[in-house]
């Protein structure tokens, strides 16, 4: 692989995300997401294995379906309002379809099935890219339209993501699958609070990205892919193993670690909105 092709691929990923985040038009946002998706496909398929090819196909099909749903939603909205503006998504049916397509792009429940499989079929560096950078554009779009989405949809998907993310990660020995379920769980918190306090949702996803990045980088450094690998690295690299353990506890939201802060603020916001039952479910 030449440096020029690597540069083109990473430029595509970066420009696609930035284009989506900075656009006020649905068509430009869609083009940005498509550019981003096409640029990451060569990275996922880089290891010449059957699993990598399978992961690439699954990622492509899922993202293509989500993109088609985005186009359908924005087109229906244009028929109704005559406006391509992102903030003018007024049609209820369009808003619901758009919310589902963005959840599909992020990997939130109930359309999360592709995420653990894709992460397991690719390298740790690519898994890092999918769980962090690739979530920025869809979360930004959801933030923009959060006032128009029915809270019931967001809360239902959020609670389901929390449950599936929490239960799914219990029975895993593969670290990449565990991180995938951790991502689904965290997206649940983000989506739930998006209905009531979008700024807090952004803070939550930013905290998650900051905590997840060093976990993946240290796992790459130590070449650990399973829990068994992680248990044997204690003798060779005690500091790094301890750091991963503490970061994982932080990601799970255990006090007094950093990851507890956004979860505490989210629970506080839910209780102040008279949603005590929801807050209890989230815990």
């Amino acid at each position: 692989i030449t440096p020029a092709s690597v540069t083109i691929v990473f430029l595509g990923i970066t420009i696609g995300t930035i284009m989506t985040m900075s656009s006020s038009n649905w068509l430009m946002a869609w083009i940005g997401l498509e550019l981003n998706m096409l640029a990451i496909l060569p990275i996922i398929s880089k290891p010449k294995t059957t699993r990598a090819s399978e992961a690439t196909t699954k990622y492509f099909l899922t993202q293509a379906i989500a993109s088609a749903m985005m186009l359908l939603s924005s087109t229906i909205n244009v028929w109704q309002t005559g406006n391509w503006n992102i903030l003018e998504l007024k049609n209820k049916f369009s808003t619901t379809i758009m919310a589902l397509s963005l959840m599909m792009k992020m990997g939130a429940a109930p359309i999360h099935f592709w995420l653990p499989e894709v992460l397991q079929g690719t390298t740790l560096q690519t898994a890092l890219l999918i769980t962090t950078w690739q979530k920025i554009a869809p979360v930004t779009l959801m933030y923009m339209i959060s006032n128009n989405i029915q809270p019931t949809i967001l809360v239902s998907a959020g609670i389901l993501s929390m449950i599936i993310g929490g239960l799914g990660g219990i029975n895993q020995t593969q670290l990449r699958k565990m991180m995938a379920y951790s991502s689904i769980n965290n997206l649940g918190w983000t989506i739930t609070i998006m209905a009531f306090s979008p700024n807090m949702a952004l803070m939550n996803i930013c905290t998650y990205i900051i905590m997840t990045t060093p976990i993946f980088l240290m796992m790459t450094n130590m070449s650990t892919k399973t829990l068994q690998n992680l248990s044997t690295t204690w003798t060779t690299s005690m500091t790094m193993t301890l750091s991963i353990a503490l970061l994982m506890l932080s990601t799970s939201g255990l006090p007094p670690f950093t990851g507890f802060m956004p979860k505490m603020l989210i629970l506080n916001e839910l209780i102040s909105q008279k949603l005590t039952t929801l807050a209890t479910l989230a815990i």
Side-chain angles (χ1 to χ4, degrees):
I1 296 172
T2 60
S5 60
V6 172
T7 309
I8 290 166
V9 164
F10 277 100
L11 265 177
I13 291 170
T14 313
I15 291 168
T17 301
I18 292 168
M19 191 189 290
T20 302
M21 288 171 70
S22 57
S23 62
S24 59
N25 182 296
W26 277 120
L27 275 179
M28 287 304 292
W30 175 77
I31 290 166
L33 286 169
E34 287 297 291
L35 178 63
N36 181 285
M37 177 192 75
L38 292 171
I40 202 172
L41 291 178
I43 300 176
I44 302 172
S45 61
K46 187 175 174 282
K48 295 291 177 279
T49 61
T50 315
R51 294 209 70 168
S53 306
E54 188 185 329
T56 312
T57 310
K58 282 177 181 172
Y59 186 83
F60 171 72
L61 289 174
T62 314
Q63 299 295 317
I65 292 164
S67 294
M69 286 168 69
M70 268 188 75
L71 268 186
L72 171 70
S73 166
S74 50
T75 308
I76 291 169
N77 189 63
V78 170
W79 283 340
Q80 296 287 323
T81 62
N83 198 333
W84 282 102
N85 195 313
I86 289 175
L87 301 174
E88 294 294 322
L89 195 70
K90 302 294 184 190
N91 185 286
K92 272 192 177 181
F93 178 71
S94 296
T95 315
T96 308
I97 297 287
M98 185 62 73
L100 286 171
S101 73
L102 292 174
M103 286 173 203
M104 198 172 186
K105 280 202 168 287
M106 285 186 261
I111 326 167
H112 65 283
F113 303 102
W114 63 272
L115 188 60
E117 297 299 321
V118 170
L119 289 204
Q120 188 56 35
T122 188
T123 61
L124 284 165
Q125 295 97 317
T126 313
L128 167 64
L129 202 60
I130 293 168
T131 50
T132 55
W133 183 261
Q134 292 299 96
K135 299 224 185 315
I136 296 172
V139 167
T140 308
L141 285 175
M142 191 171 271
Y143 174 82
M144 288 180 184
I145 64 166
S146 57
N147 290 334
N148 300 326
I149 307 174
Q150 290 166 287
T152 319
I153 295 165
L154 289 176
V155 169
S156 305
I159 294 292
L160 193 61
S161 294
M162 285 182 209
I163 294 167
I164 288 171
L167 296 177
I170 292 172
N171 201 28
Q172 300 300 329
T173 55
Q174 296 287 336
L175 289 174
R176 279 168 294 182
K177 279 198 174 180
M178 279 178 68
M179 294 306 291
Y181 283 107
S182 164
S183 171
I184 293 164
N185 178 271
N186 188 270
L187 279 171
W189 287 88
T190 306
I191 292 167
T192 303
I193 199 62
M194 188 74 81
F196 310 104
S197 176
N199 291 336
M200 206 173 283
L202 282 192
M203 183 198 67
N204 184 54
I205 200 78
C206 289
T207 311
Y208 169 76
I209 288 170
I210 291 163
M211 289 186 302
T212 304
T213 306
I215 294 177
F216 272 110
L217 292 176
M218 283 190 277
M219 288 197 307
T220 308
N221 196 353
M222 296 191 297
S223 300
T224 52
K225 290 177 182 174
T226 62
L227 280 174
Q228 193 177 3
N229 292 153
L230 202 59
S231 61
T232 55
T233 53
W234 182 260
T235 50
T236 54
S237 179
M238 193 171 77
T239 315
M240 216 171 268
T241 312
L242 187 64
S243 301
I244 286 182
L246 291 174
L247 277 164
M248 281 184 167
L249 288 174
S250 180
T251 313
S252 64
L254 191 79
F257 298 110
T258 314
F260 175 63
M261 178 194 64
K263 288 184 171 60
M264 183 185 68
L265 291 171
I266 288 169
L267 289 173
N268 182 52
E269 181 66 27
L270 289 174
I271 291 163
S272 68
Q273 295 270 2
K274 304 286 189 294
L275 295 161
T276 318
T277 314
L278 199 58
T280 313
L281 267 173
I283 294 167

